[in-house]
């Protein structure tokens, strides 16, 4: 039987991702393919780099997508279903909005798929499948197969995408991770994660973990295991990882070239209100300095639009990032994704402005009423922050603070500078 796996991406999201210069592919479908029993002919379409051929016949089409691409994914499903093809859906938005998604699919998957996908395939082959498969208990990650490497199609800035852990123990108000993964951290056995790390051809690996430092002792064991392979890697980590010298030493030795830190805000009151008070703004500067001392560059994740943010938050944030020498930054407009505590609170306060999910992209639209500025002021501040951060003056100021990764962070910054100068953000 023939199975088509679709990593859906709307045209609007592809344009937004282009502005980020580097965008890593999702690894959901290559793992899902590995969970599929033998006997299936499997194709994968990643819409960022290829188009769907609706003239082909498939016994089954599976689609994964995030909230901003929901309408587009529903359109894909509708086209295939009109041709009599069974369509199943899963992923973040389906887990957050199952009642909506089930209107557009023959089958939906709520939650993780390590258990439910093989169950469904078994049922489908016998024509006895259900319309909904729900993961009620977050699965352990022991013994999961390595992803299908032949189904990674993008020629991006990495040679492999994988994960060692899943989930995060924190409960930040705006984050969907704790909702999707039941606030439970799971870990692959170190030897299994290290085996997959070694299996990728090439030198640059991205750990697609939500927080690779959530269990610091596990991370240290992992770093020891992957050191002999002499590859380079990057991942997301808690700001508190920068307080642990042993963690940083082992990370650096194992090939870590950059850590993405969700600093979110340089306003402690904003962090406190978002249930992220474990981030201490007063520690940021020294933590970033320490990470740099191990030759690891820092990419800061920043969110604008918290209730405590005034119009001065943009300049204060950029002043801090330049003073601390942060090499890269990802700026986001606060976006209340459906199902999150933030969405529920703002909806109860009647501050949600639209339910058009395509606008929930954290880059071009404000979908709620900010408290201390207008929607226009929030967008303008966001755009100003991007342009200032990647201005030649800021690049010079920031990268002069630390030589960590200068040979690749300088070209990357210049690429962003060129893009922002040539395009309307």
């Amino acid at each position: 039987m023939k199975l088509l796996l679709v990593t859906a991406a709307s045209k609007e999201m592809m344009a937004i991702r282009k502005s980020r210069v580097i965008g890593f592919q999702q690894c959901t479908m290559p793992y899902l393919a590995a969970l599929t029993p033998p006997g299936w002919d499997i194709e994968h379409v990643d819409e960022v780099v290829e188009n769907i051929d609706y003239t082909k016949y498939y016994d089954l089409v599976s689609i994964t997508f995030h909230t901003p691409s929901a309408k587009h994914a529903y359109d894909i499903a509708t086209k295939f279903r009109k041709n009599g093809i069974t369509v199943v859906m899963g992923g973040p938005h389906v887990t957050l909005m199952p009642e909506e998604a089930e209107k557009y699919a023959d089958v939906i998957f709520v939650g993780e798929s390590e258990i439910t996908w093989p169950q469904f395939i078994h049922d489908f082959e016998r024509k006895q499948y259900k319309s909904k498969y729900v993961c009620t208990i977050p699965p352990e990650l022991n013994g999961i197969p390595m992803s299908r490497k032949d189904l990674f199609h993008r020629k991006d800035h990495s040679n492999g995408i994988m994960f060692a852990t899943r989930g995060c123990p924190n409960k930040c108000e705006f984050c969907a991770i704790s909702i999707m993964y039941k606030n439970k951290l799971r870990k692959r056995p170190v030897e299994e994660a290290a085996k997959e790390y070694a299996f990728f051809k090439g030198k640059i690996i991205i750990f697609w973990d939500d927080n690779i430092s959530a269990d610091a002792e596990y991370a240290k064991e992992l770093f020891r295991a992957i050191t002999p392979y002499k590859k380079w890697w990057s991942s997301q980590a808690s700001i508190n990882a920068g307080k642990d010298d042993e963690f940083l030493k082992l990370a650096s030795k194992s090939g870590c070239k950059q850590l993405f830190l969700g600093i979110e805000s340089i306003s402690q009151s904003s962090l406190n209100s978002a249930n992220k008070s474990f981030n201490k703004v007063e520690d940021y500067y020294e933590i970033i300095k320490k990470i740099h001392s191990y030759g690891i560059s820092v990419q800061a994740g920043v969110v604008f639009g918290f209730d405590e943010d005034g119009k001065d938050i943009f300049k204060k944030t950029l002043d801090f990032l330049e003073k601390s020498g942060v090499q890269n930054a990802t700026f986001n407009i606060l976006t209340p994704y459906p199902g999150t505590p933030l969405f529920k609170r703002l909806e109860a306060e009647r501050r949600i402005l639209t339910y058009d999910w395509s606008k929930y992209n954290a880059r071009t639209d404000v979908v709620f009423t900010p408290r201390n500025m207008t929607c226009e002021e929030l967008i303008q501040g966001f755009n100003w922050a991007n342009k200032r951060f990647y201005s030649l003056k800021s690049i010079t100021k920031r990268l002069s603070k630390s030589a960590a990764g200068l040979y690749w962070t300088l070209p990357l910054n210049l690429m962003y500078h060129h893009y922002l100068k040539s395009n309307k953000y």
Side-chain angles (χ1 to χ4, degrees):
M1 285 194 278
K2 298 194 68 174
L3 166 63
L4 174 64
L5 304 175
V6 178
T7 301
S10 66
K11 291 182 179 179
E12 295 81 3
M13 281 309 300
M14 284 192 278
I16 289 170
R17 285 172 179 156
K18 184 179 178 182
S19 71
R20 296 167 67 176
V21 180
I22 291 182
F24 300 114
Q25 59 193 309
Q26 295 180 45
C27 56
T28 300
M29 288 315 198
Y31 276 107
L32 197 68
L35 290 167
T36 306
W40 284 80
D41 179 8
I42 303 176
E43 295 179 25
H44 175 216
V45 170
D46 181 341
E47 286 199 292
V48 173
V49 293
E50 53 207 324
N51 297 320
I52 298 171
D53 185 351
Y54 291 98
T55 65
K56 288 186 176 182
Y57 176 79
Y58 300 95
D59 296 282
L60 182 65
V61 173
S62 178
I63 309 171
T64 185
F65 56 97
H66 292 276
T67 295
S69 293
K71 182 181 182 301
H72 173 67
Y74 297 154
D75 290 342
I76 294 172
T78 299
K79 290 179 182 179
F80 277 117
R81 294 177 82 193
K82 282 183 178 179
N83 292 333
I85 297 173
T86 302
V87 174
V88 304
M89 288 181 168
H93 188 75
V94 176
T95 296
L96 296 171
M97 296 291 289
E99 293 81 8
E100 175 188 279
E102 62 187 356
K103 298 174 185 177
Y104 300 92
D106 297 291
V107 182
I108 64 167
F109 290 81
V110 179
E112 300 164 73
S113 57
E114 277 79 8
I115 297 172
T116 54
W117 179 255
Q119 287 177 344
F120 162 71
I121 292 295
H122 178 272
D123 296 344
F124 182 82
E125 290 174 340
R126 288 155 182 77
K127 299 181 180 180
Q128 297 177 342
Y129 58 89
K130 299 178 291 186
S131 61
K132 181 189 292 188
Y133 288 78
V134 181
C135 176
T136 56
I137 301 175
E140 297 302 324
L141 303 180
N142 300 350
I144 65 171
M146 291 193 290
S147 63
R148 283 273 302 271
K149 307 300 182 289
D150 59 309
L151 297 181
F152 286 103
H153 297 160
R154 294 195 210 173
K155 304 295 183 183
D156 57 22
H157 295 79
S158 72
N159 302 114
I161 310 288
M162 62 172 290
F163 68 94
T165 67
R166 183 185 295 165
C168 180
N170 302 317
K171 298 181 180 181
C172 304
E173 184 189 39
F174 57 86
C175 186
I177 296 298
S178 63
I179 308 300
M180 292 191 295
Y181 299 140
K182 309 298 183 185
N183 201 231
K184 183 180 180 183
L185 175 71
R186 270 83 33 75
K187 297 157 286 188
R188 296 173 72 179
V190 166
E191 62 274 14
E192 293 181 16
K195 181 179 180 181
E196 179 153 24
Y197 182 87
F199 191 78
F200 280 105
K201 297 179 180 179
K203 195 175 182 68
I204 303 173
I205 308 299
I206 304 299
F207 281 106
W208 205 250
D209 297 43
D210 304 301
N211 180 358
I212 201 166
S213 63
D215 183 331
E217 295 310 309
Y218 169 87
K220 293 171 187 177
E221 186 179 350
L222 175 67
F223 300 160
R224 293 186 184 98
I226 64 176
T227 296
Y229 301 114
K230 301 185 183 302
K231 296 179 185 286
W232 297 351
W233 64 268
S234 175
S235 190
Q236 299 183 93
S238 164
I239 189 74
N240 291 326
K243 297 179 180 179
D244 189 331
D245 282 283
E246 185 181 25
F247 176 97
L248 294 174
K249 180 179 179 180
L250 291 170
S252 178
K253 185 178 180 181
S254 67
C256 179
K257 299 301 179 184
Q258 177 175 268
L259 288 175
F260 179 101
L261 304 181
I263 69 172
E264 317 305 356
S265 179
I266 52 93
S267 164
Q268 191 63 53
S269 58
S270 292
L271 293 168
N272 294 345
S273 69
N275 201 32
K276 198 159 187 173
S277 58
F278 53 86
N279 269 25
K280 302 299 182 185
V281 174
E282 62 188 26
D283 296 335
Y284 282 1
Y285 183 81
E286 290 302 322
I287 284 175
I288 293 170
K289 184 178 179 181
K290 179 177 286 189
I291 294 173
H292 285 163
S293 73
Y294 285 92
I296 301 172
S297 70
V298 171
Q299 179 171 1
V302 178
V303 178
F304 294 124
F306 293 108
D307 282 353
E308 290 70 22
D309 288 352
K311 288 182 287 186
D312 60 345
I313 190 64
F314 307 105
K315 184 178 185 302
K316 287 181 177 179
T317 300
L318 269 292
D319 288 346
F320 167 77
L321 295 177
E322 290 173 356
K323 178 184 177 183
S324 60
V326 165
Q327 283 84 0
N328 297 292
T330 299
F331 299 106
N332 293 282
I333 296 170
L334 183 67
T335 301
Y337 291 104
T340 61
L342 176 63
F343 183 91
K344 293 176 181 178
R345 176 172 68 82
L346 293 178
E347 189 172 48
E349 296 173 0
R350 298 185 178 182
R351 294 169 61 190
I352 298 293
L353 297 175
T354 179
Y355 295 92
D356 178 352
W357 303 132
S358 68
K359 296 183 181 298
Y360 282 62
N361 55 61
R363 296 294 194 284
T364 63
D365 295 276
V366 178
V367 298
F368 71 102
T369 303
R371 179 160 288 171
N372 290 314
M373 64 184 94
T374 66
C375 294
E376 292 74 19
E377 288 169 337
L378 179 49
I379 291 176
Q380 289 170 4
F382 167 80
N383 290 334
W384 175 87
N386 274 282
K387 290 182 177 179
R388 171 169 159 177
F389 187 83
Y390 289 109
S391 67
L392 294 178
K393 183 177 180 180
S394 179
I395 292 171
T396 301
K397 185 181 296 185
R398 289 185 289 102
L399 300 190
S400 66
K401 303 289 184 180
S402 170
L406 186 62
Y407 60 94
W408 68 270
T409 58
L410 176 56
L412 179 61
N413 273 261
L414 293 176
M415 289 170 65
Y416 273 106
H417 169 75
H418 176 73
Y419 180 87
L420 292 168
K421 188 176 181 180
S422 305
N423 297 270
K424 181 180 179 181
Y425 199 99

